[in-house]
């Protein structure tokens, strides 16, 4: 995926997003992306809480522990995004901005929002599900993929050894 495509996708999720290539604004752009991802995840937690509320009303208690675990995972990921350091030394350093790293960051961030859409799609069947068992494995798998992608992004930005060299999670590039 090219830089233009990545930025176009990011603007779809964050209207007005200008990207990372403006050297002075790259740390702010990183914070905006992380805040939007965090808020999106928190919305998914609210969806899970609504599912839990309906289960309690129907006295279907066995799936609650698994839903609590998923909500805790979402909390952990949202907090990790929200409270991460603003930008990363090296990647967003004004004196040595590496354009190729910033281009990969844009691709990673676009793919993180796509991963959020996969999480939403995995939660949707829970909202209308009747009976047992509750299909929570798809949600757990989508959250695991998101976390792996987030770790790859962190490693890339921290200057990890060839982390993110594929260009974006889930793709060769």
């Amino acid at each position: 995926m090219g830089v233009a495509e990545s930025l176009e996708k990011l603007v779809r999720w964050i209207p007005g997003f200008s990207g990372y290539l403006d050297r002075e604004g790259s740390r702010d752009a990183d914070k905006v992306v992380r805040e939007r991802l965090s808020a999106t995840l928190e919305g998914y937690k609210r969806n899970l809480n609504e599912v839990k509320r309906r289960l309690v009303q129907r006295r279907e208690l066995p799936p609650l522990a698994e839903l609590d675990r998923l909500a805790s995972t979402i909390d952990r990921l949202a907090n990790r995004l929200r409270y991460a350091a603003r930008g990363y030394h090296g990647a967003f350093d004004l004196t040595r901005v590496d354009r190729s790293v910033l281009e990969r960051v844009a691709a990673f961030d676009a793919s993180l929002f796509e991963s959020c859409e996969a999480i939403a799609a995995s939660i949707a069947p829970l909202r209308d599900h009747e009976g047992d068992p509750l299909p929570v494995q798809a949600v757990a798998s989508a959250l695991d993929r998101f976390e792996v992608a987030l770790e790859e992004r962190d490693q890339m930005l921290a200057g990890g050894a060839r982390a993110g060299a594929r260009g974006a999670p889930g793709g060769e590039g």
Side-chain angles (χ1 to χ4, degrees), residues 10 30 49 55 71 78 83-85 90 93 98 111 125 133 148 156 166-169:
L10 286 171
D30 178 62
N49 287 337
L55 288 171
Y83 299 116
D93 221 0
D98 182 344
S111 69
V148 166
M156 178 183 59
R166 293 176 298 160

Side-chain angles (χ1 to χ4, degrees), residues 86-169:
R86 188 177 210 175
Y88 289 79
H89 179 70
F92 296 115
D93 221 0
L94 290 181
T95 58
R96 35 170 248 154
V97 171
D98 182 344
R99 185 179 177 95
S100 67
V101 170
L102 296 180
E103 290 170 354
R104 288 197 326 254
V105 171
F108 256 88
D109 289 350
S111 69
L112 285 172
F113 280 102
E114 290 169 353
S115 292
C116 279
E117 289 179 344
I119 294 168
S122 69
I123 290 173
L126 301 180
R127 299 173 87 188
D128 300 321
H129 183 73
E130 296 286 334
D132 207 26
L134 196 64
V136 295
Q137 185 55 44
V139 180
S141 295
L143 288 170
D144 288 344
R145 286 189 301 275
F146 183 87
E147 185 167 20
V148 166
L150 191 56
E151 287 171 6
E152 285 184 46
R153 180 187 192 270
D154 288 348
Q155 289 174 4
M156 178 183 59
L157 290 173
R162 303 267 318 141
R166 293 176 298 160

Side-chain angles (χ1 to χ4, degrees), residues 29-100:
D30 178 62
K31 181 177 168 85
V32 167
V33 166
R34 288 184 295 101
E35 286 175 348
R36 180 59 61 99
L37 285 166
S38 180
T40 300
L41 289 173
E42 288 173 351
Y44 300 154
K45 182 182 171 196
R46 286 190 296 275
N47 291 343
L48 286 179
N49 287 337
E50 178 61 25
V51 170
K52 289 186 333 187
R53 187 187 61 73
R54 278 193 243 127
L55 288 171
V56 167
Q57 286 176 341
R58 294 191 314 234
R59 293 183 170 81
E60 295 178 35
L61 304 180
L64 294 179
E66 184 66 20
L67 291 173
D68 282 340
R69 188 184 69 74
L70 293 173
S72 292
T73 299
I74 290 173
D75 263 345
R76 182 175 45 79
L77 292 171
N79 286 334
R80 178 176 172 183
L81 286 160
R82 182 181 303 107
Y83 299 116
R86 188 177 210 175
Y88 289 79
H89 179 70
F92 296 115
D93 221 0
L94 290 181
T95 58
R96 35 170 248 154
V97 171
D98 182 344
R99 185 179 177 95
S100 67

